[in-house]
DNA sequence: GTTCTAGAAC
DNA sequence: GTTCTAGAAC
């Protein structure tokens, strides 16, 4: 062990600790005794994280508490690894019932937020231990060490430590920690080590901030947090929030009360109980209410029933139908309809109607409160909130829209602008909320889904003039779009997976054109066609807006960069290129071309020659014979390649959202052994739900008249998983070395009819 | 210092 | 789609 680091090598054998940090003094024996703890160490190289972790591990083992240390410096088979590896190791340890020490620098909020989330997901207590030693101490220790696991040592160490400290952000309770311990010298560290070492399985530590010395008297526990919330979370747009003094006397129990749809529903009981605790115990329970959920939660306002004057009775029917339908189809998600007023008529209508339905009432309920302060003032943690936006996606206008833009700050405006310019009724757009936004920091909201509902107010744009047939359809589309976008976000939360079928089949994504939803509602193809055509039309008064909406609702009128035109050129004028080695076949219907940057040993494109078919989004039932021709040609070439190399396996399919213009089918061998496969996007575009198997596309077009595409950009940013054994890998080089060696069989859903090899023979239709 | 990723420009 | 490069991570 490096004698200069940590300063407390004797800690594991020490059982007596100073009073301020003694486990016995801070511990309260609670009902949930034995709860797991995630301790996130925060500190630069040289601050003694590893010594701390090792000492706690040793001591805790003696105290009978199973801990795992997740150390980024050693996680890659003894060498430095990645954050993803750490997250996985931590998740695995938590699954095994262990408490976890996260031993990595974690100096910035962003770097530790995923670990906080992980802890919240399994309902563990999440603590931070901030090893806030003077920079010169950390530097001198890291400079002098000679065998650091992460190779931060020697002359370079000073630079690394200085650079990291420049960006350090002290942990805050609002990040989701229930306890933060500051250590500013070796003595503090020793006390903290002793405290965690002595923490037996039947104890837990009190919530709050401990050991912070710099700013006057130490604020203990949650009071600091409450004080912070008082000054920072006043909602300018709402005059109905409880004041700080009301909260302290427990009045928030009535003002901000969750109203379960079915009396005595499990969730209601749980929250009521916790709110009772809040009354009795004051500050502590409050934190526990907020972190007490493993469900990814969407809070949404009633759409169109305020300014857009939509009939409440009809709206409530749509809400209940859409929401109950959604929670029945998706696991691990929760929907909460929120309104400011306890007398809200829409809430009572929804409650009444929902009470007559049978579904899991803990996963859809109503809540009275301010949608921008659900966590800090209502004790309800919502990962995602929906916003009843205006078509320009601009702040202002009063109501929920103004409140959300106000609360989220400029970060939301910028983030929104990056996602979309405008919105059509019935559509929604999910905007990731930057971690700089107060709404993210204080309320834990990671995404805002803007949605535009139908308008019945003649003073507002696109008034439907009481056409409630259309109105209800648009409102239903709006809710479905929000929910599908939410499902897509929920899938990216650790441990919050939805079922495979719905994820593959849904058209959810950053921008949801509601394609799959209209099908579900029984709107026929001609109607959908009309919808898309109208978006591209040049109807005089709305031309500018329609132009904007090409980016939004429809995918058919995407603009293509000059670099994206080459396949179109080849398809339109193949004769110009017929002498090129890369052209394998030319017919009236298609051109077969070797991919210029093949992502596998064999990778060809079968390009349609039909002008106007830019991508799968343009395909209609009339194109089914063309799809079959492309598929046959693909099969033919795959067979040819199999004759040359019998070890290959082929898959035929389309990219949901292609980068190159002109409909083209990929025929690609599943070795993915190619230097041109260089990044995550390449990998995920062929191995995630972004890749749509040709046989599925043909079925879909046959049955529904169009292809159910999944335009979710997140699919391309997903973690890197082996397409055979599904193991996760931290980066492309490591993934590639794994897939070169992986001999696992392909997943069964592919083996069924999606793969072509010598052993499987001819696959799909011909 | 190196390795790798992600965003901008084309 | 690619290349280039800044920045993240340690």
């Amino acid at each position: 062990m490096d004698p200069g680091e940590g300063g407390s090598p004797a800690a594991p054998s020490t059982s007596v600790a100073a009073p301020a940090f003694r486990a016995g003094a801070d511990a309260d024996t609670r009902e949930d005794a034995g709860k797991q703890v995630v301790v996130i160490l925060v500190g630069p190289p040289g601050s003694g994280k590893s010594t701390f972790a090792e000492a706690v591990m040793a001591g805790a083992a003696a105290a009978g508490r199973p801990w795992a240390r997740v150390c980024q410096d050693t996680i890659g088979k003894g060498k430095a690894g990645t954050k993803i590896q750490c997250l996985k190791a931590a998740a695995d340890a938590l699954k095994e019932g262990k408490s976890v020490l996260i031993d990595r620098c974690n100096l910035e909020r962003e770097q530790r937020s995923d670990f906080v989330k992980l802890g919240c997901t399994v309902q563990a207590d999440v603590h931070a231990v901030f090893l806030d030693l003077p920079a010169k101490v950390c530097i001198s220790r890291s400079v002098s060490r000679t065998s650091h696991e992460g190779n931060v040592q020697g002359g370079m160490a000073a630079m690394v430590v200085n650079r990291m400290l420049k960006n350090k952000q002290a942990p805050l309770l609002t990040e989701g920690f229930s306890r933060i311990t500051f250590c500013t010298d070796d003595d503090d560290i020793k006390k903290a080590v002793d405290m965690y070492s002595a923490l037996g399985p039947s104890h837990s530590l009190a919530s709050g901030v401990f050991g912070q010395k710099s700013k006057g008297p130490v604020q203990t526990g949650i009071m600091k947090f409450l004080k912070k919330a008082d000054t920072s979370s006043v909602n300018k747009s709402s005059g109905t929030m409880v004041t700080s003094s009301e909260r302290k006397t427990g009045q928030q129990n009535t003002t901000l009360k969750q109203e379960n749809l079915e009396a005595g529903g499990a969730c209601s009981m749980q929250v009521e109980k916790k709110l009772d605790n809040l009354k009795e115990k004051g500050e502590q329970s409050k934190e526990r209410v907020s972190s007490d959920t493993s469900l990814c939660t969407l809070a949404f306002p009633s759409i169109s029933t305020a300014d857009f004057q939509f009939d409440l009775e009809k709206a409530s029917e749509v809400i209940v139908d859409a929401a109950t339908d959604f929670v029945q189809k998706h696991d691990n998600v929760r929907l909460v309809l929120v309104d400011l007023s306890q007398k809200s008529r829409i809430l009572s209508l929804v409650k009444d109607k929902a009470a007559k339905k049978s579904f899991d009432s803990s996963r859809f309920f109503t809540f009275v409160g301010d949608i921008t302060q659900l966590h800090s003032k209502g004790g309800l943690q919502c990962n995602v909130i929906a916003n009843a936006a205006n078509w320009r996606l601009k702040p202002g206008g009063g109501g929920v829209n103004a409140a959300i833009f106000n609360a989220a700050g400029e970060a939301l405006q910028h983030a929104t602008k990056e996602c979309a310019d405008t919105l059509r009724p019935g559509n929604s757009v999910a905007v990731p909320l930057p971690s700089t936004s107060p709404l993210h920091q204080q309320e834990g909201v990671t995404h805002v889904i803007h949605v535009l509902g139908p308008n019945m107010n003649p003073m507002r744009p696109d008034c439907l003039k009481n056409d409630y047939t259309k109105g209800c359809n648009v409102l239903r589309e709006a809710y479905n779009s929000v929910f599908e976008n939410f499902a897509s976000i929920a899938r990216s939360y650790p441990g919050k997976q939805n079922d495979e079928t719905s994820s593959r089949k849904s058209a959810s994504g950053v921008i949801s054109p509601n394609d799959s939803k209209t099908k579900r509602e029984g709107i026929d193809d001609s109607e959908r066609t009309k919808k898309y055509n109208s978006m591209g039309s040049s109807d005089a008064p709305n031309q500018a807006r329609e132009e904007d909406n090409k980016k939004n609702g429809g995918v058919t009128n995407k603009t293509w960069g000059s670099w994206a035109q080459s396949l179109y050129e080849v398809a339109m004028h193949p004769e110009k290129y017929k002498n090129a080695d890369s052209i394998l076949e030319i017919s009236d219907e298609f051109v077969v071309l070797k991919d210029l940057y093949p992502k596998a040993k064999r990778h060809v494109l079968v390009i349609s020659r039909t002008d106007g078919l830019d991508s799968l989004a343009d395909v209609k039932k009339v194109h089914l014979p063309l799809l079959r021709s492309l598929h046959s040609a693909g099969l033919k070439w795959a067979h040819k390649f199999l004759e040359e190399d019998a070890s290959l396996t082929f898959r035929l399919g389309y990219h949901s959202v292609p980068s190159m213009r002109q409909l083209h089918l990929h025929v690609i061998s599943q070795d993915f052994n190619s230097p041109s496969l260089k990044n995550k996007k390449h990998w995920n575009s062929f191995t995630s739900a972004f890749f749509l198997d040709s046989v599925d596309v043909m079925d879909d077009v046959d049955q529904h008249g169009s292809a159910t595409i999944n335009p979710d950009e997140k699919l391309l940013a997903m973690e890197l998983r082996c397409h055979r054994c599904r193991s996760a890998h931290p980066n492309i080089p490591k993934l590639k070395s794994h897939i070169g060696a992986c001999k696992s069989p392909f997943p069964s859903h592919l083996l069924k009819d999606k793969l072509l090899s010598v052993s499987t023979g001819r696959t799909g239709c011909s």
Side-chain angles (χ1 to χ4, degrees):
Chain A
M1 184 188 298
D2 184 342
E5 179 144 353
S8 169
S13 59
T14 312
S15 56
V16 182
F21 289 104
R22 199 176 62 224
D26 291 335
D28 63 346
T29 307
R30 304 188 316 214
E31 276 173 28
D32 54 359
K35 194 172 182 182
Q36 286 167 277
V37 187
V38 175
V39 178
I40 299 178
L41 298 177
V42 178
S47 58
K49 296 185 297 295
S50 294
T51 312
F52 183 102
E54 283 163 9
V56 170
M57 291 287 291
R65 182 159 210 158
W67 282 84
R69 173 194 173 202
V70 173
C71 173
Q72 184 147 349
D73 290 338
T74 58
I75 200 159
K77 291 180 182 157
K79 292 192 172 164
T82 64
K83 183 178 167 186
I84 291 173
Q85 285 175 305
C86 293
L87 280 165
K88 185 172 184 304
D92 290 346
L94 287 168
K95 256 183 235 159
E96 290 167 20
K98 291 177 181 165
S99 288
V100 179
L101 267 158
I102 308 297
D103 179 3
R104 63 197 292 279
C105 296
N106 297 313
L107 278 164
E108 290 172 48
R109 241 154 254 157
E110 188 95 3
Q111 292 165 359
R112 51 193 183 241
S113 66
D114 287 333
F115 295 96
V116 175
K117 274 185 222 153
L118 191 64
C120 292
T121 307
V122 297
Q123 300 183 40
D125 282 336
V126 183
H127 297 181
V129 174
F130 186 15
L131 303 175
D132 191 20
L133 276 69
K136 61 181 180 185
V137 173
C138 301
I139 291 169
S140 75
R141 284 176 183 172
S142 39
V143 167
S144 64
R145 60 193 176 186
T146 53
S147 58
H148 180 245
E149 293 154 330
N151 224 9
V152 178
Q153 61 191 37
M156 190 195 17
M159 193 180 68
V160 172
V161 172
N162 270 324
R163 198 187 305 153
M164 290 176 86
L165 285 177
K166 214 166 58 184
N167 299 321
K168 77 170 177 184
Q169 294 171 309
L172 300 169
L173 290 172
T174 45
E175 289 172 52
F177 294 113
S178 60
R179 180 188 175 97
I180 299 168
T181 306
F182 282 78
C183 299
T184 51
D185 56 33
D186 287 346
D187 194 39
D188 287 350
I189 293 176
K190 183 172 181 301
K191 289 169 189 166
V193 166
D194 290 345
M195 176 181 69
Y196 279 101
S197 300
L199 191 64
S202 58
H203 294 102
S204 39
L205 300 173
S207 303
V209 179
F210 297 88
Q212 196 170 17
K213 288 167 186 165
S214 53
K215 295 164 194 160
V218 176
Q219 284 177 324
T220 51
I222 201 75
M223 291 313 291
K224 182 184 160 80
F225 169 69
L226 280 179
K227 227 173 182 169
K228 199 175 181 66
D230 283 347
T231 52
S232 62
S233 60
V234 177
N235 180 0
K236 296 176 189 75
S237 71
S238 153
T240 63
M241 292 308 300
V242 287
T243 64
S244 127
S245 60
E246 281 170 336
R247 259 206 323 283
K248 281 168 193 157
T249 56
Q251 283 186 23
Q252 81 175 78
N253 284 7
T254 51
T255 314
L256 289 161
K257 179 182 170 189
Q258 180 196 352
E259 307 186 335
N260 200 283
L261 294 164
E262 286 182 335
C267 191
S268 171
M269 294 293 283
Q270 206 174 22
V271 174
E272 291 295 335
K273 192 172 151 201
K274 285 182 184 296
L275 289 174
D276 284 346
N277 283 346
L278 179 59
K279 243 192 285 185
E280 288 161 25
K281 289 194 180 176
E283 57 272 38
Q284 249 193 43
S285 306
K286 180 172 176 148
E287 274 292 279
R288 268 184 268 156
V289 173
S290 60
S291 61
D292 185 42
T293 171
S294 60
L295 301 174
C296 200
T297 305
L298 166 75
F300 64 100
S302 171
I303 301 166
S304 291
T305 49
D307 194 33
F308 281 0
Q309 301 177 358
F310 201 95
D311 179 78
L312 296 176
E313 189 74 43
K314 293 187 171 73
S316 63
E317 251 166 54
V318 173
I319 294 171
V320 172
D321 283 352
T324 54
D325 190 45
F326 180 77
V327 296
Q328 278 164 1
K329 285 181 182 157
H330 296 78
D331 296 328
N332 303 322
V333 290
R334 206 164 57 147
L335 302 178
V336 187
L337 175 67
V338 176
D339 200 349
L340 268 175
S341 162
Q342 200 154 31
K343 291 175 188 160
S344 160
R345 181 142 175 270
I346 189 77
L347 289 199
S348 7
L349 287 167
V350 165
K351 271 193 292 182
D352 292 347
K353 292 201 164 69
K356 291 171 191 151
K357 288 199 146 199
S358 80
F359 64 97
D360 178 359
S361 61
S362 67
R363 296 209 292 115
F364 168 44
F365 50 84
T366 62
F367 194 95
V368 178
D370 180 337
I371 199 161
T372 66
Q373 300 180 309
L374 292 172
H375 182 209
S376 58
K377 293 200 172 175
L380 178 71
Q381 176 69 63
C382 296
N383 319 78
V384 184
I385 61 175
N387 175 33
N390 51 47
W391 74 273
R392 285 182 186 276
L393 291 170
K394 290 282 185 324
V400 170
N401 185 61
I404 290 178
F405 271 104
N406 262 338
E410 278 191 15
L412 177 61
Q413 286 180 53
H414 293 142
T416 301
K417 213 167 183 180
E418 280 175 25
C419 294
D421 296 328
T422 58
L423 209 54
R424 291 293 298 158
N427 283 334
S428 74
V429 53
V431 178
L433 196 55
S435 55
T436 50
S437 165
L439 197 56
H440 192 140
Q441 288 175 5
Q442 288 158 23
E443 306 295 326
V445 173
T446 64
H447 293 77
V448 173
I449 304 176
H450 298 298
V451 56
L452 187 65
N455 171 37
M456 294 297 176
N457 179 350
M459 305 297 285
R460 297 273 176 252
D462 291 326
C463 177
L464 291 177
K465 298 173 187 157
N466 273 336
D467 178 353
Y468 272 98
T469 313
K470 199 166 179 188
C472 286
N473 278 338
V474 177
L475 189 62
R476 208 170 289 128
E477 280 182 21
Y479 279 111
N480 285 337
S481 176
V482 170
F483 295 161
E484 290 297 344
N485 259 328
F486 167 56
S488 167
I489 294 163
R491 280 194 284 279
S492 66
Y493 270 76
K496 292 174 182 177
Q497 300 290 317
N498 282 309
D499 67 278
E500 269 288 307
T501 326
S502 66
S503 80
R504 209 202 67 73
K505 285 289 175 191
S506 80
S508 65
V510 170
I511 294 173
S512 165
N514 287 330
D515 206 328
S516 67
K517 276 79 70 183
T518 51
K519 269 176 226 159
R520 225 178 285 138
E521 299 307 325
I523 296 175
D524 66 24
D525 298 323
S526 58
E527 266 193 71
R528 190 169 45 255
T529 309
K530 249 186 278 165
K531 188 173 136 194
Y532 280 133
N533 286 346
S534 76
M535 282 169 178
S537 76
S538 52
D539 252 357
N542 281 329
Q543 192 167 8
R545 214 166 128 191
E546 297 289 357
E547 284 298 311
D548 282 332
N549 285 313
K550 287 175 187 174
K551 293 183 225 165
N552 254 349
V555 282
T556 49
N557 288 298
K558 167 176 175 170
T559 49
W560 303 86
S562 55
W563 48 265
Q565 305 285 353
S566 43
L567 298 185
Y568 176 77
E569 275 302 307
V570 171
M572 294 303 117
H573 310 288
E575 65 287 349
K576 283 193 200 167
Y577 308 90
K578 65 182 177 203
N579 294 324
D581 288 345
S582 51
I583 302 265
L584 298 178
E585 184 182 355
I586 301 173
S587 82
D588 290 345
E589 282 185 297
F590 57 79
V591 177
V592 181
L593 176 76
K594 281 192 209 169
D595 196 305
L596 187 58
Y597 299 94
K599 305 300 183 294
K601 280 184 183 167
R602 289 293 191 177
H603 182 188
V604 300
L605 308 176
V606 186
I607 311 165
S608 152
R609 294 193 61 194
T610 307
D611 198 358
L613 273 191
D614 288 351
S615 75
L616 216 46
D618 304 310
V619 167
K620 311 234 158 37
K621 199 155 187 170
V622 68
H623 303 116
L624 194 54
L626 172 69
L627 294 181
R628 290 186 173 134
S629 296
L630 303 184
H631 186 84
S632 296
L635 281 179
K636 185 180 83 185
W637 281 96
H639 279 294
K640 205 163 275 185
F641 299 140
L642 282 172
E643 284 167 16
E644 294 164 16
D645 184 348
S647 71
L648 301 177
T649 297
F650 282 90
R651 196 171 168 198
L652 280 65
Y654 298 85
H655 282 157
S656 293
V657 183
S659 300
M660 306 288 278
R661 177 185 177 192
Q662 194 64 8
L663 180 71
H664 56 279
L665 170 74
H666 290 267
V667 178
I668 183 164
S669 60
Q670 297 296 294
D671 49 87
F672 296 110
N673 180 359
S674 163
S676 296
L677 197 156
K678 291 177 176 170
N679 58 45
K680 192 177 255 190
K681 188 174 172 181
H682 291 155
W683 177 255
N684 284 329
S685 72
F686 288 101
T687 59
S688 73
F690 190 86
F691 189 80
L692 301 173
D693 287 285
S694 176
V695 285
D696 286 345
V697 169
M698 290 186 293
D699 280 353
D700 221 5
V701 172
D702 192 18
Q703 287 175 32
H704 304 114
S706 65
T708 309
I709 59 172
N710 193 338
D712 193 346
E713 289 287 320
K714 285 191 207 73
L715 289 169
L716 298 175
M718 287 193 317
E719 59 186 350
L720 297 165
R721 282 191 178 274
C722 173
H723 60 313
R724 287 169 170 261
C725 69
R726 307 304 300 159
S727 59
H729 299 271
N731 52 48
I732 289 287
K734 293 207 167 67
L735 172 78
K736 288 178 94 168
S737 79
H738 168 82
I739 57 173
C742 183
K743 296 280 179 271
S744 293
F746 285 97
S748 52
H749 71 96
L750 292 182
L751 279 173
K752 205 177 135 221
D753 59 350
K754 310 289 168 22
L755 298 174
L756 183 73
S757 66
V758 168
S759 59
T760 57
R762 207 172 174 81
T763 299
C765 78
S766 55

